[in-house]
Amino acid sequence: MADNVRHPRHVAIIMDGNGRWAKERGLPRTMGHRRGVEAVRQAVRTARELNIEYLTLFAFSSENWRRPADEVGELLRLLKFFIRRDLADLHREGVRVRVIGEREGLPADVRNLLEEAEQLTIANDRNTLLIAFNYGARDEIARAMRRIAEKLVSGETSVESVTPELLDAHLDTAGIPDPDLIIRTSGELRLSNFLLWQAAYSEFSFIPCYWPDFDGKVFAEAVREYSMRDRRFGGLSREIAS
Ligand code: IPE
Ligand code: IPE
Ligand code: MG
């Protein structure tokens, strides 16, 4: 029983360090991103093996448009490549794909592919893969607030009913449990606008390896280390309370 409580239902990963991985090898940054796609496949496989119900991968932030156009183009191309190549396998393995982030502003072919992935896998319930693409937590919260404001103006919602639960229900992650564990690779110690609301009581693991080097062993070790932690949610530790 204790093991179940300590097993993460939802792991979210900030996949960072592709550029530095490539630089260390004298390669262009785009090569790091290409290798990063292989690490994505492995992470999805490992999440399934470890019985992690929800895996969220931060693939492109709302601020990543600030990068040079050719790098942005390569990241968009790799997203399409990944979905085209892996969607059928994911579907066969019972993985539901959901995408969080702002769709407006993405090229039509990318939007169509994301839509196709969500529609094809909508009835799958074994595992869920959340792809955070053109995602920024402040943007997500602002979009949720906008939808709530519209309901307030139209009278569909009352001021009193604006609660944390209502905001939850209007976020891109509606219906998905908050991440138990947030992993960031590459050694950076920041959230970079990822899941700010949902991370209120998440545990963090900052791993000093670059994303292309993140394999099943590193993933399993992070989950094992998480399971030793004592989450209190503002209360008392289970040992003290019992
Ligand atoms: C992560 O690697 C991929 C994205 C942010 C899209 P980076 O490209 O940020 O790699 P570093 O941090 O520059 O090494
Ligand atoms: C965060 O990484 C975004 C993704 C992993 C997609 P960044 O590399 O963009 O973050 P900063 O700029 O170092 O904070
Ligand atoms: Mg980075």
PDB file of all heavy atoms in Angstrom, residues 116-134:
ATOM      1  N   GLU A 116      -5.086  15.147 -35.083  1.00  0.00           N
ATOM      2  CA  GLU A 116      -5.207  13.746 -35.516  1.00  0.00           C
ATOM      3  C   GLU A 116      -4.738  12.803 -34.405  1.00  0.00           C
ATOM      4  O   GLU A 116      -5.391  11.795 -34.113  1.00  0.00           O
ATOM      5  CB  GLU A 116      -4.361  13.541 -36.781  1.00  0.00           C
ATOM      6  CG  GLU A 116      -4.477  12.174 -37.395  1.00  0.00           C
ATOM      7  CD  GLU A 116      -3.422  11.968 -38.497  1.00  0.00           C
ATOM      8  OE1 GLU A 116      -3.085  12.931 -39.220  1.00  0.00           O
ATOM      9  OE2 GLU A 116      -2.924  10.826 -38.610  1.00  0.00           O
ATOM     10  N   ALA A 117      -3.623  13.141 -33.768  1.00  0.00           N
ATOM     11  CA  ALA A 117      -3.081  12.295 -32.696  1.00  0.00           C
ATOM     12  C   ALA A 117      -4.073  12.220 -31.532  1.00  0.00           C
ATOM     13  O   ALA A 117      -4.307  11.143 -30.969  1.00  0.00           O
ATOM     14  CB  ALA A 117      -1.738  12.857 -32.220  1.00  0.00           C
ATOM     15  N   GLU A 118      -4.674  13.354 -31.208  1.00  0.00           N
ATOM     16  CA  GLU A 118      -5.633  13.366 -30.082  1.00  0.00           C
ATOM     17  C   GLU A 118      -6.889  12.573 -30.432  1.00  0.00           C
ATOM     18  O   GLU A 118      -7.396  11.806 -29.616  1.00  0.00           O
ATOM     19  CB  GLU A 118      -6.006  14.811 -29.732  1.00  0.00           C
ATOM     20  CG  GLU A 118      -4.868  15.552 -29.074  1.00  0.00           C
ATOM     21  CD  GLU A 118      -5.271  16.902 -28.519  1.00  0.00           C
ATOM     22  OE1 GLU A 118      -6.021  17.634 -29.205  1.00  0.00           O
ATOM     23  OE2 GLU A 118      -4.852  17.247 -27.406  1.00  0.00           O
ATOM     24  N   GLN A 119      -7.379  12.764 -31.642  1.00  0.00           N
ATOM     25  CA  GLN A 119      -8.616  12.099 -32.039  1.00  0.00           C
ATOM     26  C   GLN A 119      -8.444  10.581 -32.150  1.00  0.00           C
ATOM     27  O   GLN A 119      -9.270   9.823 -31.677  1.00  0.00           O
ATOM     28  CB  GLN A 119      -9.130  12.661 -33.383  1.00  0.00           C
ATOM     29  CG  GLN A 119      -9.739  14.047 -33.257  1.00  0.00           C
ATOM     30  CD  GLN A 119     -10.795  14.134 -32.159  1.00  0.00           C
ATOM     31  OE1 GLN A 119     -11.627  13.232 -32.002  1.00  0.00           O
ATOM     32  NE2 GLN A 119     -10.760  15.200 -31.365  1.00  0.00           N
ATOM     33  N   LEU A 120      -7.318  10.168 -32.750  1.00  0.00           N
ATOM     34  CA  LEU A 120      -7.087   8.729 -32.934  1.00  0.00           C
ATOM     35  C   LEU A 120      -7.026   8.000 -31.597  1.00  0.00           C
ATOM     36  O   LEU A 120      -7.501   6.876 -31.461  1.00  0.00           O
ATOM     37  CB  LEU A 120      -5.779   8.504 -33.717  1.00  0.00           C
ATOM     38  CG  LEU A 120      -5.395   7.041 -33.942  1.00  0.00           C
ATOM     39  CD1 LEU A 120      -6.327   6.394 -34.973  1.00  0.00           C
ATOM     40  CD2 LEU A 120      -3.935   6.921 -34.417  1.00  0.00           C
ATOM     41  N   THR A 121      -6.429   8.655 -30.593  1.00  0.00           N
ATOM     42  CA  THR A 121      -6.133   7.958 -29.330  1.00  0.00           C
ATOM     43  C   THR A 121      -7.110   8.307 -28.214  1.00  0.00           C
ATOM     44  O   THR A 121      -6.891   7.936 -27.065  1.00  0.00           O
ATOM     45  CB  THR A 121      -4.696   8.295 -28.866  1.00  0.00           C
ATOM     46  OG1 THR A 121      -4.609   9.711 -28.634  1.00  0.00           O
ATOM     47  CG2 THR A 121      -3.655   7.902 -29.907  1.00  0.00           C
ATOM     48  N   ILE A 122      -8.195   8.999 -28.552  1.00  0.00           N
ATOM     49  CA  ILE A 122      -9.077   9.585 -27.528  1.00  0.00           C
ATOM     50  C   ILE A 122      -9.660   8.532 -26.572  1.00  0.00           C
ATOM     51  O   ILE A 122      -9.896   8.809 -25.396  1.00  0.00           O
ATOM     52  CB  ILE A 122     -10.191  10.433 -28.199  1.00  0.00           C
ATOM     53  CG1 ILE A 122     -10.826  11.381 -27.188  1.00  0.00           C
ATOM     54  CG2 ILE A 122     -11.243   9.575 -28.890  1.00  0.00           C
ATOM     55  CD1 ILE A 122     -11.535  12.559 -27.835  1.00  0.00           C
ATOM     56  N   ALA A 123      -9.864   7.306 -27.064  1.00  0.00           N
ATOM     57  CA  ALA A 123     -10.499   6.293 -26.216  1.00  0.00           C
ATOM     58  C   ALA A 123      -9.485   5.437 -25.454  1.00  0.00           C
ATOM     59  O   ALA A 123      -9.860   4.549 -24.696  1.00  0.00           O
ATOM     60  CB  ALA A 123     -11.403   5.407 -27.074  1.00  0.00           C
ATOM     61  N   ASN A 124      -8.195   5.683 -25.666  1.00  0.00           N
ATOM     62  CA  ASN A 124      -7.173   4.873 -24.980  1.00  0.00           C
ATOM     63  C   ASN A 124      -7.093   5.267 -23.505  1.00  0.00           C
ATOM     64  O   ASN A 124      -7.177   6.447 -23.175  1.00  0.00           O
ATOM     65  CB  ASN A 124      -5.805   5.075 -25.634  1.00  0.00           C
ATOM     66  CG  ASN A 124      -5.769   4.504 -27.035  1.00  0.00           C
ATOM     67  OD1 ASN A 124      -6.665   3.763 -27.433  1.00  0.00           O
ATOM     68  ND2 ASN A 124      -4.745   4.852 -27.796  1.00  0.00           N
ATOM     69  N   ASP A 125      -6.913   4.245 -22.653  1.00  0.00           N
ATOM     70  CA  ASP A 125      -6.891   4.602 -21.229  1.00  0.00           C
ATOM     71  C   ASP A 125      -5.761   3.951 -20.443  1.00  0.00           C
ATOM     72  O   ASP A 125      -5.743   3.980 -19.218  1.00  0.00           O
ATOM     73  CB  ASP A 125      -8.242   4.274 -20.574  1.00  0.00           C
ATOM     74  CG  ASP A 125      -8.645   2.832 -20.826  1.00  0.00           C
ATOM     75  OD1 ASP A 125      -7.788   2.053 -21.305  1.00  0.00           O
ATOM     76  OD2 ASP A 125      -9.808   2.483 -20.548  1.00  0.00           O
ATOM     77  N   ARG A 126      -4.789   3.373 -21.133  1.00  0.00           N
ATOM     78  CA  ARG A 126      -3.683   2.746 -20.400  1.00  0.00           C
ATOM     79  C   ARG A 126      -2.738   3.789 -19.822  1.00  0.00           C
ATOM     80  O   ARG A 126      -2.467   3.813 -18.626  1.00  0.00           O
ATOM     81  CB  ARG A 126      -2.915   1.804 -21.332  1.00  0.00           C
ATOM     82  CG  ARG A 126      -3.017   0.360 -20.886  1.00  0.00           C
ATOM     83  CD  ARG A 126      -1.931  -0.486 -21.485  1.00  0.00           C
ATOM     84  NE  ARG A 126      -0.808  -0.600 -20.573  1.00  0.00           N
ATOM     85  CZ  ARG A 126       0.322  -1.204 -20.881  1.00  0.00           C
ATOM     86  NH1 ARG A 126       0.495  -1.720 -22.070  1.00  0.00           N
ATOM     87  NH2 ARG A 126       1.298  -1.282 -20.008  1.00  0.00           N
ATOM     88  N   ASN A 127      -2.230   4.633 -20.695  1.00  0.00           N
ATOM     89  CA  ASN A 127      -1.330   5.715 -20.286  1.00  0.00           C
ATOM     90  C   ASN A 127      -1.706   6.962 -21.069  1.00  0.00           C
ATOM     91  O   ASN A 127      -2.270   6.855 -22.151  1.00  0.00           O
ATOM     92  CB  ASN A 127       0.130   5.396 -20.637  1.00  0.00           C
ATOM     93  CG  ASN A 127       0.607   4.125 -20.004  1.00  0.00           C
ATOM     94  OD1 ASN A 127       0.476   3.060 -20.583  1.00  0.00           O
ATOM     95  ND2 ASN A 127       1.155   4.223 -18.815  1.00  0.00           N
ATOM     96  N   THR A 128      -1.346   8.106 -20.523  1.00  0.00           N
ATOM     97  CA  THR A 128      -1.554   9.343 -21.269  1.00  0.00           C
ATOM     98  C   THR A 128      -0.213  10.039 -21.462  1.00  0.00           C
ATOM     99  O   THR A 128       0.554  10.185 -20.509  1.00  0.00           O
ATOM    100  CB  THR A 128      -2.519  10.290 -20.522  1.00  0.00           C
ATOM    101  OG1 THR A 128      -3.783   9.627 -20.390  1.00  0.00           O
ATOM    102  CG2 THR A 128      -2.728  11.584 -21.286  1.00  0.00           C
ATOM    103  N   LEU A 129       0.038  10.414 -22.710  1.00  0.00           N
ATOM    104  CA  LEU A 129       1.219  11.222 -23.020  1.00  0.00           C
ATOM    105  C   LEU A 129       0.739  12.630 -23.299  1.00  0.00           C
ATOM    106  O   LEU A 129      -0.041  12.857 -24.221  1.00  0.00           O
ATOM    107  CB  LEU A 129       1.935  10.654 -24.260  1.00  0.00           C
ATOM    108  CG  LEU A 129       3.054  11.532 -24.836  1.00  0.00           C
ATOM    109  CD1 LEU A 129       4.202  11.687 -23.845  1.00  0.00           C
ATOM    110  CD2 LEU A 129       3.577  10.937 -26.153  1.00  0.00           C
ATOM    111  N   LEU A 130       1.183  13.576 -22.462  1.00  0.00           N
ATOM    112  CA  LEU A 130       0.838  14.981 -22.686  1.00  0.00           C
ATOM    113  C   LEU A 130       2.028  15.661 -23.325  1.00  0.00           C
ATOM    114  O   LEU A 130       3.123  15.647 -22.763  1.00  0.00           O
ATOM    115  CB  LEU A 130       0.537  15.681 -21.363  1.00  0.00           C
ATOM    116  CG  LEU A 130      -0.879  15.547 -20.855  1.00  0.00           C
ATOM    117  CD1 LEU A 130      -0.899  14.574 -19.704  1.00  0.00           C
ATOM    118  CD2 LEU A 130      -1.380  16.892 -20.400  1.00  0.00           C
ATOM    119  N   ILE A 131       1.806  16.221 -24.496  1.00  0.00           N
ATOM    120  CA  ILE A 131       2.873  16.956 -25.163  1.00  0.00           C
ATOM    121  C   ILE A 131       2.621  18.438 -24.948  1.00  0.00           C
ATOM    122  O   ILE A 131       1.571  18.963 -25.339  1.00  0.00           O
ATOM    123  CB  ILE A 131       2.908  16.635 -26.671  1.00  0.00           C
ATOM    124  CG1 ILE A 131       3.052  15.126 -26.894  1.00  0.00           C
ATOM    125  CG2 ILE A 131       4.038  17.393 -27.361  1.00  0.00           C
ATOM    126  CD1 ILE A 131       2.954  14.702 -28.358  1.00  0.00           C
ATOM    127  N   ALA A 132       3.563  19.094 -24.259  1.00  0.00           N
ATOM    128  CA  ALA A 132       3.442  20.544 -24.050  1.00  0.00           C
ATOM    129  C   ALA A 132       4.162  21.233 -25.198  1.00  0.00           C
ATOM    130  O   ALA A 132       5.390  21.224 -25.269  1.00  0.00           O
ATOM    131  CB  ALA A 132       4.045  20.935 -22.703  1.00  0.00           C
ATOM    132  N   PHE A 133       3.379  21.788 -26.104  1.00  0.00           N
ATOM    133  CA  PHE A 133       3.963  22.401 -27.306  1.00  0.00           C
ATOM    134  C   PHE A 133       3.390  23.800 -27.478  1.00  0.00           C
ATOM    135  O   PHE A 133       2.187  23.991 -27.409  1.00  0.00           O
ATOM    136  CB  PHE A 133       3.695  21.548 -28.552  1.00  0.00           C
ATOM    137  CG  PHE A 133       4.696  21.804 -29.631  1.00  0.00           C
ATOM    138  CD1 PHE A 133       5.879  21.074 -29.688  1.00  0.00           C
ATOM    139  CD2 PHE A 133       4.495  22.817 -30.560  1.00  0.00           C
ATOM    140  CE1 PHE A 133       6.837  21.342 -30.658  1.00  0.00           C
ATOM    141  CE2 PHE A 133       5.452  23.086 -31.532  1.00  0.00           C
ATOM    142  CZ  PHE A 133       6.620  22.343 -31.578  1.00  0.00           C
ATOM    143  N   ASN A 134       4.254  24.780 -27.700  1.00  0.00           N
ATOM    144  CA  ASN A 134       3.864  26.194 -27.653  1.00  0.00           C
ATOM    145  C   ASN A 134       3.146  26.442 -26.327  1.00  0.00           C
ATOM    146  O   ASN A 134       2.113  27.087 -26.269  1.00  0.00           O
ATOM    147  CB  ASN A 134       2.970  26.568 -28.840  1.00  0.00           C
ATOM    148  CG  ASN A 134       2.855  28.069 -29.023  1.00  0.00           C
ATOM    149  OD1 ASN A 134       3.704  28.825 -28.528  1.00  0.00           O
ATOM    150  ND2 ASN A 134       1.812  28.522 -29.700  1.00  0.00           N
TER     151      ASN A 134
END
